[in-house]
Amino acid sequence: GLALVVASGLMVGMEGPCVHVACCTANILSRLFPKYRGNEAKKRELLSCACAAGVAVAFGAPVGGVLFALEEASTYFPPKMMWRALFCAIIATLSVQLLNPNKSKKFVVFEVTYHHQWMLVEVVFFALVGVVGGMAGATFNTYNPRVVARRKGSALMKAWPITEVMLVTLLTCVIDFPFALMRLSNSDFLALLFSDCSVRDAKTDASLCSTAFSDQVAIFLVGCACAKLFLAIISNGLKVPGGIFVPSLIIGALLGRAMGVVIQTLHRGLGDVGAFAVCTSSSASCFG
């Protein structure tokens, strides 16, 4: 089910279900050992480690998996459990790298490479991105529970859950198909948004790096973010396995890239004045 949902293009991620699969596997394995089968406290420790492994497998981040288990999955997390969870997450990550399903031989799923040092003035723009991202998150948290509550209270949706999934999938196709970039899978789209225009490779799209039409690029990115936010609101809560990690990253990456394009355009238009005074004439790409 998870493979079909991810391949369908719905605005859901596979990372949340990876945690569920890891916890289900741990629950099944716990029945094979009396130490865990008859002790609920020990079983919860095993499930916490499985939760850390699930996140580590999804993102290639063992420490992130441990922190997720600490914050979200456990009410009691002694120091000894932290080491066990970290060991479990590291082994899970190494296993994924050994299998190499993405043929990249890398731990990190979404890699970002920086070619220049950030400047203090950029903190203001980072804060603006945070404000806009917070507004997007507040919008999701406000309307997604309402959609889920409406879905639970509707006799029609309860009677036809498969039809509802098909209609949402059709709506997703109608919104995404007219735009070549939005036809990409969620993972490929996110990798494209993280690509660096200064390094032209297979992951770089010329349309996103266009300087002649930067205003149109920024408007397009904001429009994509709004469309993806709408799709995330109606897609999460369907009777399909799916998570919210990657949709959140996509919306944030779209807004962040749009902000970067706007700042780069302002710098080119205004020159090295005001907030851009830290840039020199010979360093025109300090914001690019």
Side-chain angles (χ1 to χ4, degrees), residues 16-28:
C18 281
V19 177
H20 299 160
V21 171
C23 290
C24 290
T25 304
N27 187 43
I28 293 173

Side-chain angles (χ1 to χ4, degrees), residues 154-193:
S154 173
L156 183 62
M157 292 183 180
K158 287 182 179 179
W160 302 92
I162 298 178
T163 304
E164 181 190 9
V165 173
M166 293 175 63
L167 291 176
V168 173
T169 304
L170 178 61
L171 178 61
T172 302
C173 294
V174 171
I175 293 176
D176 287 350
F177 189 79
F179 308 100
L181 295 181
M182 294 180 68
R183 297 177 203 165
L184 299 173
S185 66
N186 290 337
S187 298
D188 291 340
F189 191 27
L190 191 55
L192 182 65
L193 292 172

Side-chain angles (χ1 to χ4, degrees), residues 166-247:
M166 293 175 63
L167 291 176
V168 173
T169 304
L170 178 61
L171 178 61
T172 302
C173 294
V174 171
I175 293 176
D176 287 350
F177 189 79
F179 308 100
L181 295 181
M182 294 180 68
R183 297 177 203 165
L184 299 173
S185 66
N186 290 337
S187 298
D188 291 340
F189 191 27
L190 191 55
L192 182 65
L193 292 172
F194 285 163
S195 62
D196 192 344
C197 289
S198 63
V199 180
R200 297 300 178 92
D201 53 21
K203 295 182 179 180
T204 307
D205 187 89
S207 61
L208 291 180
C209 299
S210 173
T211 57
F213 304 99
S214 55
D215 53 342
Q216 298 178 22
V217 172
I219 294 172
F220 171 75
L221 291 173
V222 173
C224 286
C226 294
K228 291 294 187 182
L229 178 59
F230 168 73
L231 292 175
I233 289 173
I234 65 174
S235 298
N236 284 272
L238 292 173
K239 301 296 189 296
V240 294
I244 192 59
F245 281 122
V246 166

Side-chain angles (χ1 to χ4, degrees), residues 13-217:
M14 68 175 183
E15 288 67 27
C18 281
V19 177
H20 299 160
V21 171
C23 290
C24 290
T25 304
N27 187 43
I28 293 173
L29 292 177
S30 68
R31 302 174 185 176
L32 304 178
F33 303 94
K35 177 181 180 181
Y36 297 101
R37 183 171 61 245
N39 192 325
E40 288 298 323
K42 287 291 184 181
K43 184 183 292 186
R44 284 195 295 270
E45 292 180 359
L46 192 64
L47 293 176
S48 296
C49 294
C51 180
V55 175
V57 165
F59 292 103
V63 176
V66 174
L67 294 176
F68 180 84
L70 173 64
E71 292 289 337
E72 299 292 338
S74 306
T75 55
Y76 178 66
F77 206 86
K80 64 177 183 179
M81 271 302 303
M82 186 173 296
W83 291 108
R84 293 174 182 176
L86 180 61
F87 178 76
C88 181
I90 290 174
I91 295 300
T93 306
L94 291 174
S95 300
V96 172
Q97 190 196 33
L98 182 64
L99 295 173
N100 192 25
N102 297 323
K103 309 302 180 183
S104 61
K105 297 183 179 180
K106 294 180 179 179
F107 283 113
V108 181
V109 180
F110 307 112
E111 183 179 12
V112 180
T113 303
Y114 296 95
H115 301 281
H116 58 274
Q117 295 293 328
W118 68 278
M119 293 170 290
L120 186 61
V121 68
E122 290 181 291
V123 173
V124 177
F125 304 125
F126 294 156
L128 289 176
V129 173
V131 170
V132 176
M135 294 172 61
T139 302
F140 179 87
N141 292 333
T142 299
Y143 291 101
N144 179 252
R146 295 182 184 180
V147 172
V148 173
R150 182 71 177 270
R151 185 175 285 143
K152 289 182 178 179
S154 173
L156 183 62
M157 292 183 180
K158 287 182 179 179
W160 302 92
I162 298 178
T163 304
E164 181 190 9
V165 173
M166 293 175 63
L167 291 176
V168 173
T169 304
L170 178 61
L171 178 61
T172 302
C173 294
V174 171
I175 293 176
D176 287 350
F177 189 79
F179 308 100
L181 295 181
M182 294 180 68
R183 297 177 203 165
L184 299 173
S185 66
N186 290 337
S187 298
D188 291 340
F189 191 27
L190 191 55
L192 182 65
L193 292 172
F194 285 163
S195 62
D196 192 344
C197 289
S198 63
V199 180
R200 297 300 178 92
D201 53 21
K203 295 182 179 180
T204 307
D205 187 89
S207 61
L208 291 180
C209 299
S210 173
T211 57
F213 304 99
S214 55
D215 53 342
Q216 298 178 22
V217 172

Side-chain angles (χ1 to χ4, degrees), residues 1-8 17 240-242:
L2 177 59
L4 294 175
V5 169
V6 173
S8 69
V240 294

